[in-house]
Amino acid sequence: MSLDPVLVMKGQDPMPNTCPPASNGDSKASWEDSKDIHENTAATKKPKSGPVRRARKVEGGIFFPKPENAVTIAVSSRVLFRTEKEQIVFEQQGIEEYLRYQVEHENEPFAPGPAFPFVKALETVNTRLRELYPESEELFDIVLVTYNHAHVGVRLINTINYHNLFIERFCMTGGTSPIGYLKAWHTNLYLSADTEKVQEALAEGIAAATMFMSDKQIEVSETQLRVAFDGDAVLFSDESERIFKAHGLDKFFEHERENENTLLDHGPLKSFLELLGKLQKKFYAKGHRLDCPIRTYLVTARSAASSGIRALKTLRAWGLETDEALFLAGAPKGPMLEKIRPHIYFDDQMFHVEGAAEMGAIAAHVPYGIAQKYPHKKSTNTSK
């Protein structure tokens, strides 16, 4: 299975990665034209019926946490929803027809995308947290990020209400980069279909990953958020991976044995695991360790005896833990992920992301480290 970020996500969001004013409605002329479109069509459209949006339970609680207190998850509309029809209109007929189409269909909700189950699981955790800590602002806070103009916002809001999502914060950039806004939101994780923007976020120290749409998707838990991480170049730095790429597997094992008691440096997703662990401890403190609605996994191609001990000692020294650790010694990750059924799995190698997708698991690519320069080949073993 090939998961090219352009081909696979084609149809997700009609705005291309780079949006010149002449093609994305950012110019004054096209914006005023689209205003006329809205005025001529909005009054004639009646909303379609959908699920009734349930009221928020906020007795004594806070449901708009300050960004600096919350675990802020920024999700692109390209991965939260699917917009294949809109993509075709944009590509074949241009921006003005695209905007007209969006207004004419603004009461028709988009279908769920690959990040949708993850977002729903975050809301499940929030519900449990509010029950135990009604006044706490330590919650997941979701920000919808899109290259679209605010003109398309009505349809996005209608879609969010239709699917009963609790997303109140929007960032609609009109074709410009969202990275500056992500920093202002104190973003802890950014999920997008745009690898370049994900790389920009990583360079700014924001945990980020590229998500893909797969034809097959297994069912995931509706009561427990499950997040799985690769080790090297995800939770840890790519130090050991560099040894493997340069000198082979034997030198990698030798290096790990010699440095067994030397901590690995942190990787781009370490901070997110840290935040998950912090929320888990809030449940543990109330006696909910066994039924905690957050469960974390380390899924690594490292072997336990030869190189796994360094990874475990590093996590322990950081004061972190994963609920489960799978050391696969080079075995395929897909079958294990099919059993775990994570809401999201993070890996720095597309080879493993593709393998997960083949099994229907939801996977995200972290474009970080030496593996981006030397992609994994099926005929080659891997250290991580």
Side-chain angles (χ1 to χ4, degrees), residues 56-199:
R56 294 174 185 265
K57 295 182 179 179
V58 296
E59 294 84 0
I62 300 173
F63 63 94
F64 289 134
K66 297 182 181 67
E68 60 268 27
N69 297 332
V71 178
T72 301
I73 312 296
V75 183
S76 168
S77 61
R78 298 175 65 184
V79 297
L80 185 57
F81 304 123
R82 302 187 64 173
T83 59
E84 285 87 347
K85 292 180 181 179
E86 292 71 21
Q87 178 76 10
I88 294 173
V89 172
F90 175 76
E91 292 180 345
Q92 296 182 355
Q93 302 180 44
I95 181 65
E96 300 308 325
E97 286 301 316
Y98 160 73
L99 290 173
R100 186 187 304 276
Y101 182 93
Q102 291 282 37
V103 172
E104 291 176 348
H105 296 80
E106 65 184 16
N107 293 301
E108 298 177 12
F110 295 119
F116 189 92
F118 176 66
V119 168
K120 292 294 288 184
L122 298 179
E123 293 182 348
T124 297
V125 175
N126 276 353
T127 299
R128 293 281 303 276
L129 282 169
R130 291 191 187 104
E131 292 171 354
L132 297 175
Y133 302 92
E135 297 184 4
S136 176
E137 291 188 75
E138 291 183 316
L139 304 164
F140 289 111
D141 193 20
I142 304 161
V143 180
L144 181 65
V145 178
T146 174
Y147 292 135
N148 270 305
H149 288 274
H151 193 63
V152 187
V154 173
R155 190 175 186 191
L156 288 171
I157 292 171
N158 285 341
T159 299
I160 285 171
N161 288 338
Y162 177 87
H163 291 295
N164 217 9
L165 297 174
F166 289 165
I167 302 177
E168 302 289 355
R169 305 192 198 272
F170 271 41
C171 185
M172 308 185 72
T173 69
T176 61
S177 174
I179 302 304
Y181 296 113
L182 296 181
K183 297 178 70 176
W185 285 113
H186 299 272
T187 300
N188 301 113
L189 177 67
Y190 174 48
L191 300 175
S192 173
D194 187 336
T195 298
E196 290 184 3
K197 291 299 178 287
V198 167
Q199 290 173 327

Side-chain angles (χ1 to χ4, degrees), residues 124-298:
T124 297
V125 175
N126 276 353
T127 299
R128 293 281 303 276
L129 282 169
R130 291 191 187 104
E131 292 171 354
L132 297 175
Y133 302 92
E135 297 184 4
S136 176
E137 291 188 75
E138 291 183 316
L139 304 164
F140 289 111
D141 193 20
I142 304 161
V143 180
L144 181 65
V145 178
T146 174
Y147 292 135
N148 270 305
H149 288 274
H151 193 63
V152 187
V154 173
R155 190 175 186 191
L156 288 171
I157 292 171
N158 285 341
T159 299
I160 285 171
N161 288 338
Y162 177 87
H163 291 295
N164 217 9
L165 297 174
F166 289 165
I167 302 177
E168 302 289 355
R169 305 192 198 272
F170 271 41
C171 185
M172 308 185 72
T173 69
T176 61
S177 174
I179 302 304
Y181 296 113
L182 296 181
K183 297 178 70 176
W185 285 113
H186 299 272
T187 300
N188 301 113
L189 177 67
Y190 174 48
L191 300 175
S192 173
D194 187 336
T195 298
E196 290 184 3
K197 291 299 178 287
V198 167
Q199 290 173 327
E200 285 184 36
L202 289 171
E204 293 292 336
I206 301 170
T210 311
M211 295 197 76
F212 305 90
M213 176 57 67
S214 175
D215 293 334
K216 177 183 178 183
Q217 188 166 306
I218 56 179
E219 292 185 3
V220 293
S221 173
E222 295 182 356
T223 59
Q224 184 180 64
L225 169 66
R226 299 178 184 177
V227 183
F229 300 86
D230 179 30
D232 298 271
V234 176
L235 291 180
F236 314 121
S237 73
D238 67 340
E239 167 205 325
S240 299
E241 182 71 10
R242 288 179 178 273
I243 298 295
F244 168 69
K245 294 293 186 183
H247 305 290
L249 195 58
D250 289 341
K251 282 292 184 182
F252 164 78
F253 286 141
E254 180 181 336
H255 177 266
E256 293 305 289
R257 286 193 296 269
E258 292 176 352
N259 292 276
E260 177 181 308
N261 295 311
T262 302
L263 300 184
L264 289 157
D265 199 358
H266 68 86
L269 270 294
K270 181 244 186 179
S271 60
F272 185 54
L273 175 62
E274 195 170 33
L275 290 168
L276 292 177
K278 184 178 180 180
L279 292 181
Q280 283 180 310
K281 289 177 181 177
K282 292 173 72 70
F283 289 102
Y284 300 166
K286 297 288 188 176
H288 292 281
R289 176 179 285 271
L290 296 181
D291 65 339
C292 180
I294 303 173
R295 192 165 185 83
T296 57
Y297 304 78
L298 172 64

